[in-house]
């Protein structure tokens, strides 16, 4: 028999072991953001790549895993990456937007570390500063289910990610100068699919020599297509010639499974479809992404779906777009997307177990946008007459160090009857409040809006001006929960958000021109128990807090390997266990 003291010692060793090794798994990425030369539309230009790849690599994890991404900035200007749709529970420090993070200076690296807590689904990432998304730097994100959670469809035979988006041959620096000087973006020069130009389906439109994407498939098999609109301003209609697309998921919610022949995917949105290869394979088929609501003569994005037994190239005209004169088609299609309330997602309980329609709303915000206008001689966009001014000190850092005068918690809950202003005004949210936000689009183009840190319920959209009576058409049962929603011109969209994620979160226009000119606001959600994750040890300081910044060489650089303290801890634990086992024989 072992003595009591030995048992106590063994318990201590086991405790050390658990401390060093237990917990959710980690996945590591080490990325370098740099310029490369590419010719997606046949014209050489500078694009932003990650590890030499354009688009960037797929980021993949599983529910509750910890994700560590070390980003080295080899651009000639500061950069931040934001994780579109990843909720960062209690951790807005990892959000990657200027309200919460100082940008990574040229030549520096910074490590993001966050947990994909209680999430599944299809998302994307992209650079959030300096109009850089117009040059690339983007890619897809997959958060897989844990094995113990049932998925509401059979395991696909393959998983295919497609990043689609409008593209301009002008550099992002020239585009942002145009925007600042009052020059509209106009129609894009083309549409890219996975960073490549269109297949030459029409020699009068598509020049020769352009490289295009080929997706290889096997007849009879079913594939999951994850499609992300990472463009800057253009809604795209996505379709696959002669194939139905069964919608199964969007931005972390399993949907009611419905077949579509095409889907309008607005800026910043992600969708998952199951597509069965049920054609004969006598030839290849077009995969198409076309601009919507644009009088553009430029080429659509066209990739090729290639069956292994294909006997010839794709042929004929591209599959038709929906009738552009039917203005209600896209809105009705959006309304048809509903949540599968009987399916579990990140947890085993049904998605409909959170009965949002029975919760009392605590705050209502009507956010009205307008087309760009001059404010103090500068071309700006607004929400409720306020164009957001980005201070040199991130709001979250100012809050952490009690720096006064950086922002104000006074954002109005209705449009103000006053001239527009430029200001740093923030919504003061109530922790665990239930907030209703109506996005009223007074612009002439479709706008997309995204809220970091949350999935919200899309409960209604319609033409005209929202009124209190508009609530009578709300979907109070199976409105889809997502992080990005479109608002059609002259229309409104209503969302409901349960404010259970403490932090400072960005609500923005996903259309890059609108966002760049000031169409954003932050939502401050403070938990009275102060249970947010602390300021990261590797935080970058800027603005009035620049004096706190250490030189890059003095900062801890994380990488795919465990940290030195962790290695030492593990070695000591191994030595202790070896000693104990040897001694007790």
């Amino acid at each position: 028999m072992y003595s009591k003291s030995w048992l106590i010692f063994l318990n201590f060793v086991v405790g050390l072991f658990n401390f060093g090794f237990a917990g959710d798994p980690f996945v590591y990425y080490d990325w370098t953001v740099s310029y490369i030369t590419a010719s997606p539309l046949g014209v050489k230009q500078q694009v932003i790549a990650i590890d030499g790849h354009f688009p960037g690599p797929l980021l993949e994890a599983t529910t509750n895993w910890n994700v560590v991404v070390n980003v080295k900035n080899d651009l000639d200007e500061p950069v931040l990456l934001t994780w579109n749709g990843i909720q960062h529970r209690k951790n807005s420090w990892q959000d990657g937007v200027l309200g919460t993070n100082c940008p990574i200076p040229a030549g520096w690296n910074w490590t993001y570390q966050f947990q994909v807590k209680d999430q599944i689904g299809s998302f994307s990432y992209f650079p959030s500063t300096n109009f850089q998304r117009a040059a690339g730097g983007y890619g897809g994100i997959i958060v897989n289910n844990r094995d113990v959670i049932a998925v509401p469809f059979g395991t696909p035979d393959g998983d295919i990610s497609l990043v689609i988006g409008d593209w301009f041959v002008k550099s992002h620096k020239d585009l942002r100068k145009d925007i600042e000087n009052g020059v509209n973006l106009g129609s894009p020069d083309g549409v890219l699919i996975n960073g490549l130009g269109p297949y030459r389906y029409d020699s009068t439109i598509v020049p020769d020599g352009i490289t295009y994407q080929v997706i290889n498939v096997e007849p009879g098999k079913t594939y999951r297509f994850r499609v992300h609109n990472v463009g800057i301003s253009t809604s795209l209609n996505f379709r696959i010639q002669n194939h139905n697309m069964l919608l199964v998921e969007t931005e972390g919610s399993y949907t009611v499974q419905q077949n579509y022949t095409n889907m309008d995917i607005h800026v910043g949105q992600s969708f998952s479809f199951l597509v069965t290869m049920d054609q004969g394979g006598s030839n290849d088929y077009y995969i198409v992404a076309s601009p919507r609501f644009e009088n553009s003569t430029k080429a659509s994005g066209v990739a090729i779906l290639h069956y292994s037994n294909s006997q010839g190239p794709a042929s004929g005209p591209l599959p038709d777009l929906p009738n552009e004169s039917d203005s209600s088609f896209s809105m009705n299609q959006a309304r048809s997307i509903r949540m599968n309330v009987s399916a579990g997602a990140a947890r085993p309980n049904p998605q409909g177990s959170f009965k949002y329609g029975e919760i009392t709303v605590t705050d209502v915000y009507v956010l009205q946008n307008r087309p760009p206008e001059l404010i103090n001689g500068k071309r700006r966009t607004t929400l409720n007459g306020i164009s957001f001014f980005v201070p040199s000190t991130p709001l979250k850092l100012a809050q952490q160090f009690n720096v006064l005068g950086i922002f104000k918690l006074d954002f109005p809950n209705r449009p103000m009857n006053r001239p527009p202003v430029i200001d740093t005004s923030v919504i003061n949210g109530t922790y665990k409040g239930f907030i209703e936000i109506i996005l009223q689009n007074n612009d002439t183009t479709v706008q997309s809006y995204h809220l970091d840190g949350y999935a919200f319920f899309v409960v209604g959209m319609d033409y005209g001006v929202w009124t209190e009576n508009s609530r009578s058409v709300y979907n109070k049962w199976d409105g889809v929960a997502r992080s990005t929603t479109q608002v059609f011109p002259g229309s409104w969209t209503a969302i409901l958000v349960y404010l259970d994620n403490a932090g400072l979160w960005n609500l923005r226009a996903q259309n890059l021109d609108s966002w760049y000119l000031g169409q954003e606001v932050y939502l401050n959600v403070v938990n009275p128990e102060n249970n947010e994750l602390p300021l990261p040890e590797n935080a970058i300081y800027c603005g009035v807090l620049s004096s706190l910044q250490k030189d890059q060489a003095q900062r801890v650089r994380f990488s795919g390997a465990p940290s030195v303290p962790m290695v030492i801890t593990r070695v000591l634990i191994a030595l202790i266990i070896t000693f104990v086992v040897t001694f007790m024989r």
Side-chain angles (χ1 to χ4, degrees):
M1 293 292 292
Y2 302 124
S3 68
K4 184 177 180 180
S5 60
W6 275 116
L7 292 175
I8 292 173
F9 184 69
L10 279 174
N11 284 331
F12 170 72
V13 171
V14 171
L16 279 177
F17 185 83
N18 288 336
F19 177 79
F21 292 96
D24 294 307
F26 278 73
V27 60
Y28 295 92
Y29 293 89
D30 207 343
W31 289 352
T32 298
V33 182
S34 65
Y35 295 118
I36 63 171
T37 300
S39 308
L41 294 178
V43 178
K44 281 189 177 182
Q45 58 186 124
Q46 194 178 65
V47 304
I48 296 176
I50 296 179
D51 284 352
H53 298 288
F54 168 69
L58 185 68
L59 190 156
E60 187 168 1
T62 296
T63 302
N64 294 344
W65 282 18
N66 297 283
V67 179
V68 181
V69 187
N70 184 69
V71 175
K72 173 72 185 328
N73 179 13
D74 275 356
L75 302 180
D76 57 358
E77 56 187 12
V79 72
L80 279 173
L81 294 183
T82 190
W83 318 97
N84 203 52
I86 300 301
Q87 293 180 17
H88 309 298
R89 303 303 293 178
K90 305 173 186 175
N91 195 13
S92 56
W93 296 112
Q94 308 296 323
D95 203 15
V97 288
L98 289 173
T100 51
N101 298 97
C102 296
I104 306 168
W108 282 44
N109 69 274
W110 195 71
T111 301
Y112 295 87
Q113 182 166 327
F114 54 87
Q115 186 178 27
V116 287
K117 183 70 174 174
D118 291 334
Q119 274 194 282
I120 58 95
S122 309
F123 311 98
S124 61
Y125 63 85
F126 55 81
S128 66
T129 56
N130 293 318
F131 223 77
Q132 289 161 347
R133 193 171 89 215
Y138 44 63
I141 299 174
I142 295 175
V143 183
N144 297 304
N145 283 75
R146 292 176 291 158
D147 290 339
V148 296
I149 305 298
V151 176
F153 47 83
T155 302
D157 296 296
D159 202 305
I160 298 166
S161 289
L162 298 177
V163 291
I164 62 177
D166 54 6
W167 191 254
F168 295 80
V169 295
K170 273 190 178 181
S171 73
H172 72 283
K173 295 177 183 179
D174 287 339
L175 286 172
R176 76 188 182 209
K177 285 179 184 176
D178 285 348
I179 294 297
E180 291 167 356
N181 294 330
V183 179
N184 291 325
L185 286 173
S187 297
D189 294 309
V191 174
L192 306 188
I193 298 180
N194 282 354
L196 300 176
Y199 170 77
R200 201 178 191 211
Y201 65 94
D202 186 333
S203 60
T204 65
I205 298 177
V206 183
D208 194 14
I210 289 180
T211 304
Y212 54 89
Q213 178 73 60
V214 177
I215 302 298
N216 295 304
V217 294
E218 297 292 331
K221 293 190 174 182
T222 297
Y223 296 82
R224 183 172 182 173
F225 282 73
R226 302 177 193 256
V227 189
H228 317 272
N229 185 342
V230 295
I232 64 174
S233 68
T234 307
S235 299
L236 298 173
N237 182 267
F238 180 80
R239 54 212 188 272
I240 302 176
Q241 185 183 25
N242 291 3
H243 290 73
N244 283 323
M245 306 185 301
L246 183 69
L247 179 65
V248 293
E249 177 261 334
T250 180
E251 296 165 31
S253 287
Y254 290 125
T255 62
V256 172
Q257 295 180 14
Q258 302 177 87
N259 273 311
Y260 294 86
T261 56
N262 64 82
M263 176 63 70
D264 283 347
I265 304 179
H266 303 277
V267 179
Q269 291 186 332
S270 298
F271 287 89
S272 279
F273 308 97
L274 294 183
V275 183
T276 299
M277 303 303 124
D278 54 6
Q279 301 300 300
S282 57
N283 53 262
D284 295 341
Y285 299 91
Y286 298 127
I287 300 173
V288 187
S290 299
R292 283 286 264 150
F293 321 113
E294 289 271 354
N295 295 320
S296 175
T297 58
K298 304 291 185 181
S300 295
V302 183
I304 292 299
L305 186 71
H306 175 72
Y307 280 57
S308 62
N309 62 342
S310 173
Q311 301 300 305
S315 61
L318 299 183
D320 290 335
L321 272 168
N323 187 351
E324 289 280 13
S325 64
D326 182 4
S327 59
S328 62
F329 174 88
S330 190
M331 183 178 288
N332 287 335
Q333 186 185 68
R335 288 168 172 161
S336 73
I337 300 168
R338 296 174 291 122
M339 189 161 60
N340 183 346
V341 294
S342 64
R347 296 185 178 189
N349 50 296
Q351 291 185 146
S353 60
F354 185 84
K355 296 179 171 55
Y356 68 85
E358 298 177 6
I359 300 175
T360 301
V361 170
T362 55
D363 289 290
V364 179
Y365 279 81
V366 179
L367 305 184
Q368 181 191 88
N369 74 340
R370 291 203 297 257
E373 54 195 314
L374 288 179
I375 307 176
N376 300 336
K378 295 182 178 180
R379 188 170 184 256
R380 304 288 295 183
T381 54
T382 60
L383 289 173
N384 285 2
I386 298 176
S387 184
F388 190 83
F389 173 75
V390 181
S392 60
T393 307
L395 283 60
K396 188 65 181 171
L397 269 181
Q399 188 181 63
Q400 173 75 19
F401 289 91
N402 296 315
V403 179
L404 301 179
I406 301 297
F407 66 93
K408 296 175 288 186
L409 295 171
D410 63 351
F411 192 86
N413 62 3
R414 292 289 192 281
M416 302 291 284
N417 185 20
R418 67 182 187 191
V421 297
I422 301 174
D423 204 355
T424 309
S425 182
V426 172
I427 294 174
N428 191 16
T430 302
Y431 183 65
K432 292 197 174 178
F434 197 54
I435 186 171
E436 178 183 11
I437 300 176
I438 295 91
L439 300 160
Q440 181 76 53
N441 184 4
N442 283 15
D443 207 336
T444 57
T445 59
V446 180
Q447 298 287 324
S448 292
Y449 290 91
H450 176 86
L451 177 59
D452 286 347
Y454 290 94
F456 49 70
F457 296 94
V458 182
V459 295
M461 58 180 67
D462 206 349
Y463 294 104
V465 176
W466 181 89
T467 68
E468 302 286 336
N469 293 332
S470 300
R471 294 192 180 103
S472 64
V473 300
Y474 281 9
N475 178 349
K476 296 186 177 181
W477 169 235
D478 60 357
V480 70
R482 64 187 312 164
S483 59
T484 305
T485 188
Q486 72 274 37
V487 192
F488 296 96
S491 304
W492 57 266
T493 296
I495 63 176
L496 297 175
V497 194
Y498 180 54
L499 301 183
D500 64 339
N501 192 13
L504 193 65
W505 303 106
N506 186 231
L507 172 61
R508 61 176 175 269
Q510 287 284 57
N511 299 53
L512 195 53
D513 48 349
S514 298
W515 183 11
Y516 186 73
L517 293 178
Q519 202 171 106
E520 65 177 320
V521 66
Y522 283 81
L523 180 61
N524 185 49
V525 182
V526 176
N527 184 342
E529 298 178 2
N530 192 29
N531 68 345
E532 284 186 67
L533 291 179
L535 173 74
E537 291 183 6
N538 65 337
I540 298 176
Y541 298 93
C542 53
V544 299
L545 297 171
S546 296
S547 61
L548 299 177
Q549 183 60 55
K550 298 177 182 178
D551 292 338
Q552 171 75 141
Q554 295 176 286
R555 296 172 62 250
V556 176
R557 184 185 189 278
F558 293 84
S559 68
S563 65
V564 172
M566 179 59 75
V567 170
I568 294 172
T569 299
R570 293 178 180 180
V571 170
L572 287 175
I573 290 171
L575 289 173
I576 292 170
I577 291 173
T578 302
F579 171 79
V580 171
V581 171
T582 303
F583 185 84
M584 292 175 59
R585 284 176 178 171

